[in-house]
Amino acid sequence: MDKVMRMSSEKGVVIFTKSSCCLCYAVQILFRNLRVQPTIHEIDTDPDCREIEKALLRIGCSTAFPAVFIGGKLVGSTSEVMSLHLSGSLVPLIKPYQSLLY
Amino acid sequence: MNTTSTHFVPPRRFEIYETTLNQVSMWEENFKNNGGIYIPNSIIIPTDAKQDSLSDDTSHGTPHKFDQEASTSRHPDKTQRRLAQNREAARKSRLRKKAYVQQLETSRLKLIHLEQELDRARQQGFYEGNRVDTNALGFSVKMSSGIVAFEMEYGHWVEEQNRQISELRTVLQGQVSDVELRLLVDNAMKHYFQLFRMKSAAAKIDVFYIMSGMWKTSAERFFMWIGGFRPSELLKVLLPHFDPLMDQQVLDVCNLRQSCQQAEDAVSQGMEKLQHTLTDSVAAGNLGEGSYIPQITCAMERLEALVSFVDQADHLRHETLQQMHRILTTRQAARGLLALGEYFQRLRALSSSWATRQREPT
């Protein structure tokens, strides 16, 4: 879906979330602790919410929310992000986007 | 003798024989002497509900002799009144007794039924877990069959776990090939993964049950983090048992500890947010109105997310074990799994020791 493609190919870490989703919040916290400022798209307020959800599932996200993209590429949902991080593979992916400040 | 009054209508089936004033006073004495228990001296004999049976008392063989002529003739009204009162009292007494006996019967049947249920519940599992949950007021709540099944499966799981630990212990004390060790390690890993699958199924049935760790022993429950052990704690406990570690391994383990901690923190914060949103849902609106269906409905929707959190926490546990397996050699992994297994055994032993400790009377 065009909208999803456009939003997901933005630079850096892009996360599609729902405001009521607490696991989405957990993923955001993780990235913030890794000194990354992800771009958050909260889509429960978006009129195309259902379409976006279907599109995310179609392109291979295990759960529509949260859907994490890094550098335009789909990483996955919470479980995938956690697995990547524990295996040490997440940090190399976000290195270009890590802030030097905090 | 004839003391019937024409106004008297006998009760349907039972009749008590009328007596003289003397008899009444005897009963009163009896009543007082027997601590208030009414012991009638008359005999209750089933009769046909016929009016004239009262006059046939001689044929029913009451043993008492009545000396009624004298008193009847002297104070007929008083006698009649007293007799009527006596009959009324006796009737009420019979009704009370009947009600009491019925109550006793009902309670007795209920007791038998409860005992049967208890026996059945005990037989269903050899594991001394909590068969019956209690709600806030301490009333017993029957557990769903899915949870009962989970408890039984968990009992088997612990038995198998203990067997595996013993085997690892024996094998590591002697000479064992890497191939054989690898098999034992793989089995042990699969065994943990099986537990996570069991928990996931149980969480879908009753997430509160999993979150409160009802199937665990008390000490294990104390250290719980979102329905299970804390992954970072696990690493901390096991680390000393892996010596000697190669440099690359030391680096990998350090990185794993850090990322594990970060993942845990993130999920913990998500969990906190869930608790806050739940509180907001439950406390929404006017507390004190007495009706709260919309609040409960909203809270129920939010509660669904708790299942995902339990799954995510177990996923972290799964991945931590998986990464340890990747970083370590087979022999190190075997030692690690033995150490982990015994750690939980010690926690279980601590629970039972604490429960049965002898307190000094204060």
Side-chain angles (χ1 to χ4, degrees), chain B residues 90-304:
Chain B
R91 190 178 74 86
K92 283 187 180 152
S93 170
R94 282 198 302 279
L95 289 172
R96 278 198 304 274
K97 181 177 175 181
K98 194 173 178 189
Y100 179 63
V101 167
Q102 270 178 357
Q103 257 185 19
L104 281 179
E105 282 294 316
T106 318
S107 302
R108 190 173 146 268
L109 287 174
K110 196 172 181 193
L111 184 63
I112 293 171
H113 178 67
L114 283 173
E115 280 177 345
Q116 281 175 352
E117 259 194 60
L118 200 60
D119 275 337
R120 222 178 298 133
R122 280 210 194 98
Q123 277 170 23
Q124 268 175 5
F126 43 76
Y127 180 64
E128 265 278 321
N130 284 332
R131 253 311 106 244
V132 174
D133 203 350
T134 45
N135 67 11
L137 297 174
F139 295 118
S140 298
V141 171
K142 256 171 95 171
M143 290 194 305
S144 80
S145 59
I147 297 298
V148 173
F150 171 78
E151 282 209 346
M152 271 172 58
E153 259 195 285
Y154 182 70
H156 294 308
W157 189 90
V158 172
E159 275 198 355
E160 173 62 17
Q161 180 77 344
N162 290 335
R163 194 198 62 76
Q164 284 184 1
I165 293 167
S166 299
E167 194 174 6
L168 272 173
R169 197 178 288 129
T170 316
V171 145
L172 283 170
Q173 277 165 358
Q175 296 281 49
V176 61
S177 68
D178 259 23
V179 173
E180 197 188 334
L181 258 185
R182 195 168 303 137
L183 195 65
L184 292 175
V185 165
D186 284 346
N187 280 344
M189 298 287 283
K190 278 195 206 128
H191 197 56
Y192 278 110
F193 300 159
Q194 186 202 342
L195 179 62
F196 299 145
R197 280 196 300 276
M198 282 162 56
K199 282 169 67 185
S200 183
K204 290 185 179 67
I205 297 169
D206 185 353
V207 72
F208 280 139
Y209 176 86
I210 296 295
M211 282 296 293
S212 359
M214 298 302 289
W215 78 96
K216 286 176 178 281
T217 59
S218 42
E220 289 175 289
R221 228 177 288 148
F222 177 69
F223 291 108
M224 251 188 21
W225 175 76
I226 311 185
F229 62 80
R230 200 179 265 275
S232 56
E233 191 65 32
L234 180 142
L235 290 175
K236 197 180 84 177
V237 163
L238 296 188
L239 204 52
H241 297 87
F242 301 137
D243 288 330
L245 283 172
M246 307 216 292
D247 289 345
Q248 183 59 44
Q249 287 182 318
V250 172
L251 195 60
D252 286 343
V253 169
C254 270
N255 286 336
L256 180 61
R257 278 189 81 175
Q258 191 184 36
S259 37
C260 191
Q261 191 65 60
Q262 287 164 334
E264 235 176 74
D265 282 344
V267 174
S268 293
Q269 289 196 50
M271 189 60 197
E272 262 186 56
K273 180 159 195 259
L274 181 60
Q275 281 180 322
H276 289 148
T277 55
L278 265 170
T279 308
D280 288 344
S281 301
V282 171
N286 206 348
L287 276 168
E289 260 176 2
S291 75
Y292 33 77
I293 295 175
Q295 286 85 354
I296 300 301
T297 312
C298 179
M300 293 271 281
E301 283 170 18
R302 299 227 190 274
L303 214 43
E304 294 291 335

Side-chain angles (χ1 to χ4, degrees), chain A residues 32 34-37 94-102:
Chain A
R32 235 171 272 160
L34 296 175
R35 297 182 286 119
V36 171
Q37 277 282 50
I94 59 172
K95 234 187 176 78
Y97 315 110
Q98 273 180 313
S99 163
L100 298 165
L101 286 173
Y102 56 115

